Amino acid sequence: RFKHLSIQQGLSNNQVNCFLKDSRGFVWIGTLSGLNRFDGYAFISYRNSVRDSTSIPNNDIRKLFEDPRGRIWVITNFSACVYDPEKDIFYRNVNAILDEFSIPSGTILQILKDKSGKYWFVHESAGLFMHDPQEKMTRKLIDNAEKQSAISSFMEDSQGNFWILYRNGVLEKMHGTNHNIIYRRNLFRKLNLDNSPLYEACLDLDD
């Protein structure tokens, strides 16, 4: 069954850029003009307030992720912030939160929770980090300097393996258990020799 939701039902803007279903069952919808939380019945909208440093820094929401502690990472057109559901506020100092996971300061492009419950952080300048909430440990799996390129997109397939697409067009497959690279192809790199587009990739039901 499909249900159409728009500004008539309380959505802040009809241009939807991203959405996320969190561990509490809420659906978060990022739009061109504000962030929305939907509980299945009604919307709560969050927008920037110039006088409130705990509001979102910008209304143009581009990406949404949930971290190991249930906080919502909000990537806007200009910066990032982290929503604390217990305090109902947004933290703009994301580097302090990264420090909790022993991840260096910088820009986070993606957070992925894998099938085993581990969290993967794609760091724009540093590379790829894996955090194990059970062991409370973080490991760095990929260094951008060694790869000579930043990661553009990161995915897990149905077999528990990981696919990494770099900005230089290189595609790699990482084994889900030992984390060795078991496949590499330069197809996109050959097609884009003169530039480094920001790729977005996804897996279908057939991997």
Side-chain angles (χ1 to χ4, degrees):
R1 181 183 177 183
F2 290 90
K3 185 176 182 180
H4 183 217
L5 301 172
S6 67
I7 57 175
Q8 279 72 36
Q9 287 73 42
L11 190 66
S12 61
N13 191 280
N14 281 338
Q15 180 175 318
V16 174
N17 296 329
C18 55
F19 61 90
L20 167 75
K21 184 177 181 180
D22 69 18
S23 57
R24 295 171 175 82
F26 293 113
V27 175
W28 295 85
I29 304 170
T31 74
L32 180 66
S33 181
L35 175 66
N36 306 264
R37 191 185 75 182
F38 185 62
D39 63 3
Y41 300 96
F43 286 101
I44 294 177
S45 296
Y46 298 88
R47 290 187 174 91
N48 171 258
S49 175
V50 176
R51 298 180 179 180
D52 185 0
S53 62
T54 64
S55 67
I56 56 175
N58 184 270
N59 290 328
D60 188 355
I61 313 301
R62 298 301 178 88
K63 294 182 179 181
L64 296 166
F65 308 110
E66 185 174 10
D67 74 10
R69 298 183 181 177
R71 295 169 298 200
I72 307 300
W73 285 62
V74 183
I75 313 301
T76 77
N77 189 31
F78 296 106
S79 59
C81 63
V82 179
Y83 175 75
D84 185 335
E86 295 183 0
K87 297 182 180 180
D88 194 30
I89 61 173
F90 293 85
Y91 294 106
R92 300 186 185 185
N93 183 11
V94 298
N95 290 332
I97 295 177
L98 287 175
D99 189 57
E100 296 176 12
F101 303 115
S102 301
I103 296 174
S105 299
T107 301
I108 296 300
L109 301 177
Q110 185 179 354
I111 302 174
L112 172 72
K113 182 181 180 182
D114 69 21
K115 292 178 175 60
S116 68
K118 297 180 178 65
Y119 286 79
W120 298 75
F121 291 76
V122 177
H123 192 292
E124 184 175 39
S125 59
L128 182 65
F129 296 83
M130 181 190 71
H131 177 76
D132 187 334
Q134 298 297 322
E135 300 293 335
K136 297 182 180 180
M137 293 181 61
T138 299
R139 291 178 55 199
K140 186 175 185 179
L141 274 299
I142 290 179
D143 190 310
N144 285 354
E146 294 178 0
K147 295 292 183 177
Q148 298 182 338
S149 180
I151 296 172
S152 184
S153 191
F154 180 74
M155 305 156 287
E156 182 184 19
D157 64 24
S158 61
Q159 304 301 313
N161 297 310
F162 301 98
W163 293 84
I164 309 158
L165 183 56
Y166 297 88
R167 289 186 182 179
N168 63 5
V170 173
L171 177 66
E172 291 182 340
K173 182 179 182 180
M174 176 191 288
H175 192 279
T177 304
N178 59 32
H179 304 136
N180 290 329
I181 301 301
I182 55 178
Y183 172 90
R184 179 181 289 111
R185 193 171 184 185
N186 299 324
L187 175 63
F188 298 107
R189 186 173 189 176
K190 294 177 182 178
L191 294 174
N192 297 283
L193 295 176
D194 299 328
N195 54 56
S196 298
L198 186 59
Y199 295 101
E200 288 285 348
C202 62
L203 290 167
D204 62 19
L205 294 177
D206 298 319
D207 286 341

